[in-house]
């Protein structure tokens, strides 16, 4: 009996405490808490986050120029384009039936389609013949076909999903266990027989083809392929003059595609066909002709692939496996993608693994860096019987000699099968992405073979070959399992990348941090022409117009000081004043750096300590005694007015009892005496077409003069951006340079002491030792210095990083911390950065719309016996502009691409999960563009379901049934073609995302199922919603430490939202002039001059045309026809490098290491620093 009583007590305890579990004292939890504390203590910016409320937070979206390092953002929302808050009819805050998706789901058949499906067709990027025009394609797909995805709408039906053929098919997959509790996540997946697909855009900037196109040309010239070979690319003259407007060939009854349900797509001659694997266990196995065998002793495999972001780990692209023994056998070889660390979540690379029958274990070699998502990449692997080698885009990545001998004996020939897309479907190692070419050779090809021009390639016939033409895929490949096959899609042959992207340095963020771009601004005065910037002072007054925050005299004094400082650098500021007559706002205490959710969180937060907040809701006061009879007695008793006594049970926030603007400290009360700057910005909701300047005060423990929003911050072009100043430091004697300093931050300038006093550690790679454009403040004309308020060089510093003396420091620079009577200038590098960011980010703030010049001179990309080809960058303001005749509101052309694809980030977020009491990791952190600076490390700039209650020793895991959910809403419902999701941290094994639900305007859901993610690259998903517009997505996870930074929804081409955006045109100028008439304006950024004479020196300049306006010309390219140029592939000599660092010699040696044999590595002795040098 006593045992039964004890058991009942135990069950009661467990039942009442199951939601809470002890905090694991691991390094991650401690690190995340230290991040929050550190952010609280820093006064470098205004807090942008607030705790969760019942109503979701709505952020005004912004648009970024495509030139930014991050992708284009959602457009700015103005008052004329506001829509009602998003509502989902019958929507739920959790996944239906939980994240396991174990409810019945009904397949939605495309409206207007038959149920046979058809071949896939991707988006046409440019018209064929002549210049392409925006929003108009030569080939239009009337059916808007989509590739087969695992999408269906939940109806609550108990019946399983049905395929279009009328037969029921149910596949059940086990996805492993979660980190917190053993859980088998079983998902009912629908594998349709039809292959629905849509035209997919191939961005030119990401279509790095490298070796893919030469192989395409080479295979077009190969001869003698037998029946066992695939037909090479023969998109010939028979279809050269045909009309391809969404046309597909109807399959005959004996068509080889009938079993796949995909009639053959008809494509233009300049297009190619490829296979698309969506990662849902599609697998093909080779079907060789009689008498043809897979090579056993030596072989080479070439692949042309475009992988999506986020893959199974590993994801097998192709391989030969043992299909007679158990499925986990490593015998054979495979090529694919995997992380270097087993079961890792970052640094996924291409790999080549091989194990012969006689070897004890397999050998794996990796590429040198992580794979590039959504980029065409050429792979080749070889094995010659004693050496295995991996090549990526023609470069040798690594080799190993740990395997030798034949792969297997002749008796095991029938047990070896070549697979494509996966090892075996049941193992969950499926590849997701495009395969554009597969060639298997029966010998080991050399590195020289890759470098030969197509005409010099030997004509040895491969064992099998399919390259850019998969219209006859069933001749060589068959489905491993019924209905689990890839989709045959059509796509334009991607163009070869001519010039590497102008990326920022490791310590930079955008293109305006690139040293070449800034040098272009330094050297071209056309880029530094006068610019007029609008800014607005937000002045609060009482209802009667009295008691302003700042006086008109302060405003005029400050405005004059501002223009005197910036006018010498061709920057003029145009003032306007926005007065707000509202006593309820004017009489409230505006907190400059305090998150409201921290008030009354049971710990003293110095930034919230002020009498108007009740000293942080009483957290910063010694707890006094409050008699119970004083509580809720209709009188505000100040000794009871703390969080510990529930703010006198509401008496101190009752306007009928007391003056609430002096006594109401409860953060949850609408009558409280204070508000944050963020709340003020939300209340006013000012437009972002001008720089807004707000005013706020500090806590008792702070001395904050001002704060500004960086130009790369997601709030920069929203109503939450702008500048915040302390009224005491605005237009007053001795405090006029504060606004000049903050304006420098707005325009992209760092503190001059960033590389010394703002470094993270003594080993910070961004610390500044010598003046540099790649470290510190990214300006080579500001010497390193420590933080100082003295108007002279600082004293010698002796700290944990060593003894340092600073000379010729920029103490008189506006971006230092010295007083007004000392600071007086900006440097040329700083001026170049300011003008660059005005062009890149703040076009809407400029009073004129004159086109900006091209930032750099043109570049030679090729020459022939009678011509030369050049390339140039687009202007920093982007390659699209708003048409004057188009008056649609709310759309920024920075969110559109030339082919009319519209990108938008989430603008509203909500979650039923209670927010962490620190005030960080709120849903709104996932709104707008991504801003996590160090992926794979815990960050404060992302949403996380992790919850710690008042910093106590308990945390709440995600519920076992529905998990933790986050709903992200988009301003403009679109028919999406792609979803991009930034998951920047996860602590559990993949699939970390338990489910992604697409929510339609009607409130229906389309479930995408579990997704594998990597924290150092975004997850990209091709979508097929059957022409249904999507308004929101819901994410579900069981990993309470996961962090989600952003989500972006992309439409298909020719989106009506981009119909008002026109492409800029370019005019090519030459000296001496062209012999015939000058070439007409063009959209392309390349030009081939065929009227050149060897030995003659030419100058090429580019002008940007926008409507009827012309920019000033670019800097000239001076080129003598016939001379060598950077990138021509000609070795002009060798250079011997000798480095000396702090008196130590840097020894260069060649050493072998596993997976990287034969590469030059730098070996450093103790105390030396590594040096990275790139030479053209």
């Amino acid at each position: 009996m006593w045992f039964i009583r004890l058991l009942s007590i135990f069950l009661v305890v467990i039942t009442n405490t199951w939601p809470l579990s002890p905090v694991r004292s691991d390094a991650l939890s401690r690190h995340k808490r230290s991040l929050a504390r550190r952010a609280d203590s820093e006064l470098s910016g205004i807090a942008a986050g607030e705790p969760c409320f019942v109503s979701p937070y709505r952020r005004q979206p912004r648009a970024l120029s495509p030139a930014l390092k991050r992708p284009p953002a959602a457009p700015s929302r103005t008052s004329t384009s506001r829509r009602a808050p998003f509502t989902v009819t019958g929507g739920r805050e959790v996944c239906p039936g939980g994240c396991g998706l174990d409810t019945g789901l009904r397949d939605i058949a495309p409206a207007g389609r038959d149920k046979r499906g058809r071949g896939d067709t991707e988006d046409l990027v440019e018209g064929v013949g002549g210049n392409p025009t925006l929003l108009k394609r030569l080939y239009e797909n009337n059916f808007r076909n989509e590739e087969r995805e695992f999408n269906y709408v939940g109806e609550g039906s108990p019946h399983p999903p049905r395929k279009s053929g009328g037969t029921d098919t149910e596949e059940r997959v086990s996805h492993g266990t979660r980190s917190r509790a053993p859980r088998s996540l079983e998902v009912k997946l629908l594998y349709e027989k039809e292959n629905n697909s849509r035209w997919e855009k191939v961005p030119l900037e990401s279509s790095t083809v490298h070796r893919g196109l030469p192989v395409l040309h080479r295979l077009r010239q190969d001869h003698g392929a037998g029946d066992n070979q695939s037909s090479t690319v023969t998109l010939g003259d028979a279809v050269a003059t045909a009309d391809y407007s969404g046309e597909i060939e109807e399959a005959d009854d004996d068509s080889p595609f009938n079993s796949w349900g995909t009639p053959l797509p008809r494509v233009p001659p300049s297009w190619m066909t490829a296979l698309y694997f969506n990662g849902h266990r599609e697998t093909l196995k080779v079907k060789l002709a009689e008498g043809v065998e897979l090579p056993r002793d030596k072989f080479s495999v070439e692949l042309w692939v475009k992988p999506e972001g986020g893959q199974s780990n590993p994801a097998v692209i192709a391989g030969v496996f043992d299909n007679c023994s158990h499925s986990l056998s490593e015998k054979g070889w495979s090529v694919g993608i995997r992380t270097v660390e087993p079961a890792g979540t970052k640094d996924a690379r291409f790999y080549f693994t091989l194990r012969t029958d006689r070897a004890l274990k397999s050998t794996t070699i990796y590429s040198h860096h992580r794979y590039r998502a959504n980029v065409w990449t050429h792979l080749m692997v070889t094995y010659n019987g004693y050496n295995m080698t991996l090549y990526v885009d023609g470069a040798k990545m690594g080799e190993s000699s740990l395997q030798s001998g034949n792969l297997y004996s002749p008796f095991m020939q029938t047990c070896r099968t070549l697979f494509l897309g996966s090892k075996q479907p049941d193992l969950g190692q499926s590849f997701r992405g495009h395969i554009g070419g597969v060639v298997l050779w029966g010998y080991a090809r050399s590195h020289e073979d890759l470098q030969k021009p197509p005409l010099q390639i030997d004509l040895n016939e491969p064992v099998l070959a399919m390259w850019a033409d998969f219209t006859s895929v069933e001749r060589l490949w068959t489905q491993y399992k019924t209905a689990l096959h890839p989709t045959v899609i059509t796509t334009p042959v991607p163009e070869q990348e001519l010039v590497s992207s102008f990326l920022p340095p490791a310590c930079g963020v955008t293109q305006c941090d690139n040293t070449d771009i800034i040098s272009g601004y330094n050297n071209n005065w056309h880029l530094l022409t006068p610019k007029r910037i609008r800014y607005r002072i937000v002045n609060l007054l009482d209802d009667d117009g009295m008691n302003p925050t700042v006086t008109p005299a302060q405003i005029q004094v400050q405005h004059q000081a501002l223009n005197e400082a910036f006018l010498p650098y061709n920057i003029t500021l145009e003032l306007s004043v926005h007065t707000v007559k509202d006593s309820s706002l004017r009489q409230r205490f505006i907190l400059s750096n305090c998150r409201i959710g921290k008030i009354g969180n049971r710990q003293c937060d110095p930034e919230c300590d002020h009498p108007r907040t009740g000293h942080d809701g009483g957290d910063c006061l010694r707890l006094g005694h409050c008699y119970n009879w004083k509580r809720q007695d209709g009188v505000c008793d100040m000794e009871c007015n703390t969080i510990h006594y529930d703010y006198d049970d509401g008496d101190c926030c009752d306007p009928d009892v007391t003056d609430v603007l002096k006594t109401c400290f409860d953060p949850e009360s609408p009558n409280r005496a204070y508000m944050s700057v963020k709340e003020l910005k939300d209340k006013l909701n000012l437009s972002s077409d001008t720089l807004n300047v707000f005013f706020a005060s500090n806590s008792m423990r702070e001395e904050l003069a001002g704060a500004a929003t960086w130009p790369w911050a997601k709030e920069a072009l929203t109503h939450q951006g702008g500048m915040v100043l302390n009224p005491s430091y605005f237009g007053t004697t001795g405090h006029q340079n504060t606004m000049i300093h903050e304006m420098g931050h707005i325009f992209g300038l760092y503190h001059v002491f960033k590389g010394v006093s703002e470094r993270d550690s003594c080993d910070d790679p961004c610390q500044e030792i010598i003046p540099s454009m790649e470290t510190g403040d990214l300006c080579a004309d500001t010497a390193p210095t420590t933080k100082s308020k003295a108007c002279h060089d600082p004293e010698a510093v002796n700290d944990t990083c060593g003894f340092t003396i600073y000379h010729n420091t920029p103490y008189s620079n506006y971006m230092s911390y010295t007083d007004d009577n000392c600071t007086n200038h900006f440097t040329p590098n700083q001026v170049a950065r300011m003008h660059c960011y005005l062009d890149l980010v703040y076009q809407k703030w400029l009073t004129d719309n004159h086109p900006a010049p091209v930032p750099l001179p043109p570049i030679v990309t090729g020459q022939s016996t009678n011509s030369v080809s050049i390339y140039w960058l687009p202007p920093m303001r982007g390659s699209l502009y708003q048409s004057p005749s188009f008056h649609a509101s709310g759309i920024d052309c920075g969110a559109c691409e030339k082919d009319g694809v519209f990108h938008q980030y989430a603008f509203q977020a909500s979650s039923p999960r209670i927010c962490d009491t620190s005030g960080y990791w709120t849903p709104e952190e996932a709104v707008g563009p991504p801003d996590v600076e160090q992926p794979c490390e815990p960050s404060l700039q992302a949403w996380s379901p992790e919850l710690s209650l008042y910093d106590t020793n308990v945390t709440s895991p995600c519920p076992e049934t529905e998990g933790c959910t986050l709903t992200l809403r988009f301003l403009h419902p679109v028919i999406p073609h792609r979803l991009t999701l930034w998951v920047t941290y996860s602590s559990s094994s993949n699939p970390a995302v338990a489910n992604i639900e697409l929510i339609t305007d009607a409130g229906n859901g389309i479930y995408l199922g579990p997704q594998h993610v990597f924290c150092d690259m975004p997850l990209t998903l091709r979508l097929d919603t059957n022409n249904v517009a999507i308004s929101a997505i819901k994410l579900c996870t069981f990993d309470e430490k996961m962090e989600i930074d952003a989500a972006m929804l992309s439409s298909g081409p020719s989106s009506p939202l981009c119909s008002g955006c026109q492409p800029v045109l370019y005019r090519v100028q030459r000296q001496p002039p062209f012999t015939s008439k000058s070439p007409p304006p063009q959209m392309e950024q390349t030009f081939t001059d065929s009227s050149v004479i060897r030995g003659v020196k030419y100058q090429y300049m580019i002008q940007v045309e926008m409507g009827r306006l012309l920019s000033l010309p670019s800097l000239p390219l001076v080129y003598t026809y016939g001379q060598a140029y950077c990138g021509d592939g000609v070795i002009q000599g060798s250079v011997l490098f000798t480095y000396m660092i702090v008196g130590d010699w840097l020894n260069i040696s060649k050493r072998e290491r596993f997976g990287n044999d034969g590469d030059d590595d730098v070996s450093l002795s103790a105390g030396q620093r590594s040096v990275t040098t790139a030479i053209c």
Side-chain angles (χ1 to χ4, degrees), residues 352 474 609 633 770 1044:
F352 173 34
E474 281 200 344
D609 185 10
D633 60 351
I770 59 175
I1044 296 177

Side-chain angles (χ1 to χ4, degrees), residues 81 133 195 249 265 356 380 412 475 480 510 651 658 734 808 1052 1056:
S81 67
T133 58
N195 294 292
E249 295 183 14
T356 64
M380 187 176 85
M412 299 297 294
R475 296 179 56 193
Y480 183 73
T510 73
D651 284 343
T658 183
N808 300 319

Side-chain angles (χ1 to χ4, degrees), residues 664-892:
C664 185
F665 308 143
D666 185 356
E668 298 181 1
S669 172
N671 299 319
R672 51 182 156 88
Y674 52 87
M675 66 187 310
S676 66
V677 168
K678 177 186 172 302
E679 291 176 317
L680 176 63
K681 293 178 179 179
D682 280 337
K683 176 78 173 178
L684 300 178
N685 195 24
L686 298 177
S687 64
S688 58
D689 57 354
T690 184
L691 169 60
N692 293 311
V693 180
F694 302 90
F695 298 96
S697 301
N698 305 324
S699 71
M700 294 176 58
R701 309 189 187 190
E702 290 182 321
E703 190 179 352
L704 186 63
T709 306
W710 296 113
W712 50 84
K714 65 173 63 179
E715 297 87 4
L717 293 181
T718 72
H719 70 282
Q720 281 293 331
M723 182 189 307
V724 178
L725 296 173
N726 189 320
S728 301
Y729 291 84
F730 177 85
T732 57
T733 303
H735 297 299
Q736 299 171 18
N737 286 5
T738 298
M739 188 174 182
I740 301 172
H741 178 99
E742 298 303 327
M743 194 70 75
H745 288 320
I746 292 285
F747 295 158
L749 301 186
Y750 292 106
H751 291 139
V752 293
F753 49 80
K754 175 177 171 54
V756 178
S757 297
E758 294 180 346
R759 60 188 173 185
D760 292 333
S761 66
C762 299
D763 297 325
D764 190 336
C766 296
Q767 69 173 333
E768 191 173 22
I769 300 175
I770 59 175
S772 171
M773 294 181 69
E774 297 186 359
T775 60
D777 65 345
L778 306 181
C779 292
D781 47 12
T782 56
T785 183
T786 186
K787 181 166 59 176
S788 172
K789 293 187 177 182
C791 195
H792 53 73
D793 287 340
E795 303 293 336
V797 176
N798 188 10
D799 55 16
T800 56
C801 296
F803 182 80
T804 309
I805 299 176
Y806 298 98
H807 295 291
N808 300 319
T809 59
Y811 54 84
S812 60
N813 193 279
Y814 282 123
M815 302 314 295
S816 69
Y817 265 7
T818 50
D819 294 332
D820 283 18
N821 56 3
C822 185
T823 55
N824 55 25
H825 76 283
F826 293 109
T827 66
N829 281 175
Q830 289 176 325
V831 174
R833 286 178 60 84
M834 290 192 290
H835 276 271
C836 183
Y837 275 109
L838 287 173
D839 287 334
L840 180 67
V841 180
Y842 300 125
Q843 304 97 307
K844 294 194 301 183
W845 295 359
L846 301 176
T847 59
D848 66 273
N849 295 319
H850 205 77
V854 171
L856 291 176
I859 303 169
V860 176
T861 57
Q863 67 177 3
S864 63
T865 56
N866 60 356
S867 66
V868 61
S869 298
I870 61 175
Y871 167 88
W872 56 89
L873 290 176
M876 297 302 291
R877 298 184 189 179
S879 56
L880 296 175
Y881 69 96
Q882 187 77 47
S883 173
S885 60
F886 190 79
H887 301 289
S889 58
I891 302 300
D892 192 294

Side-chain angles (χ1 to χ4, degrees), residues 215-235:
V215 175
L216 170 60
H217 300 318
R218 180 225 316 162
L219 290 177
R220 280 177 171 168
Q221 298 170 12
D222 285 348
H223 304 287
D227 291 340
N228 62 312
Q229 313 297 325
S230 166
S231 59
T232 56
V233 177
T234 57
L235 306 175

Side-chain angles (χ1 to χ4, degrees), residues 952-1016:
T952 58
N953 198 36
V954 292
T955 185
S956 178
C958 294
E960 293 287 336
T961 54
E962 67 272 13
C964 295
T965 62
L966 172 69
T967 301
L968 298 172
R969 300 178 174 94
F970 298 91
L971 181 60
H972 302 279
V974 296
I975 300 173
H977 280 210
R978 183 173 297 277
L979 172 65
T980 307
L981 181 66
W982 284 262
V983 179
T984 54
Y985 186 84
S986 64
S987 62
S988 64
S989 59
N990 269 312
V993 179
N995 180 43
I996 298 178
E997 176 186 356
L998 307 179
I999 302 176
T1000 69
D1001 258 345
N1004 296 321
I1006 302 175
Y1007 304 102
L1008 307 183
Q1011 301 296 331
H1012 298 261
V1013 299
F1014 297 124
C1015 58
D1016 54 354

Side-chain angles (χ1 to χ4, degrees), residues 368-440:
H368 293 170
H369 48 76
R370 69 174 181 261
Y371 78 95
R372 297 174 63 189
N374 302 302
V375 173
W376 282 105
T377 305
H378 178 268
L379 306 175
M380 187 176 85
V381 299
T382 67
Y383 177 66
N384 59 9
Y386 56 87
N387 202 54
M388 50 187 294
T389 311
L390 169 65
Y391 302 90
V392 177
D393 283 332
K396 184 178 180 180
M397 291 287 111
E399 61 183 0
S400 174
S401 57
L402 297 181
Q403 299 285 329
S404 62
N406 291 346
L407 290 172
Y408 47 87
S409 66
F411 303 102
M412 299 297 294
Q413 181 73 38
T414 57
C415 289
R416 297 298 187 268
T417 304
L418 175 60
F419 290 97
L420 204 62
S422 179
K423 180 176 181 180
Q424 290 184 11
D426 297 335
L427 299 180
Q429 299 179 1
S430 301
F431 169 73
R432 193 165 57 84
H434 300 75
I435 296 181
V438 183
V439 183
L440 175 62

